[in-house]
Amino acid sequence: EGEGEGEGEGEVAESVYKLHAVLIHLGDADHGHYYAYVRPQLGSPGGGPWLCFDDSNVAEVPARQVYADAFGGRAGAGGMSRNAYLLQYVRRDAVPSLLHAGDAGLPEDPSKLCEEGSK
């Protein structure tokens, strides 16, 4: 969560933001692979579960995995780096209108999201 400033003249508005998604790059400057962590139920108590979208694989993951991957560093014997490439925040007071909190209708098995999207 973070704070921002308003856009009015001389007006400073305090806003609180929630982390909604993290895009990860695994590789180096010449090549690599991207995958994303997203909290589609951000308006739920506790922010909802984190889902990892990696090509056609979708799985629920613990928050500590999201933060560990986003922090960066070397991964595996090949020495490729893993870093957050993009962070997406949503202003807390905008969550209900932007993300339709409580209306996500996620299946019990997150991998079903890919199957439903391909119909």
Side-chain angles (χ1 to χ4, degrees):
E1 295 186 356
E3 294 180 20
E5 290 187 11
E7 295 182 8
E9 292 182 35
E11 179 182 322
V12 177
E14 186 174 324
S15 296
V16 177
Y17 293 83
K18 291 183 151 209
L19 182 61
H20 177 245
V22 180
L23 180 63
I24 304 288
H25 177 255
L26 173 64
D28 58 31
D30 295 326
H31 68 283
H33 176 72
Y34 292 91
Y35 57 97
Y37 293 111
V38 180
R39 287 194 299 177
Q41 295 176 323
L42 191 59
S44 299
W50 281 100
L51 300 180
C52 178
F53 291 83
D54 189 353
D55 293 333
S56 63
N57 299 316
V58 180
E60 189 171 328
V61 296
R64 67 181 175 279
Q65 180 178 332
V66 177
Y67 302 137
D69 280 4
F71 182 72
R74 298 283 172 201
M80 294 191 298
S81 66
R82 180 184 322 255
N83 297 292
Y85 183 76
L86 176 109
L87 302 175
Q88 179 182 19
Y89 288 89
V90 176
R91 202 170 70 204
R92 185 172 60 189
D93 63 358
V95 168
S97 62
L98 292 175
L99 301 177
H100 306 287
D103 190 28
L106 294 175
E108 281 189 41
D109 180 1
S111 65
K112 301 288 185 207
L113 289 169
C114 286
E115 293 172 15
E116 291 173 9
S118 63
K119 290 181 181 175

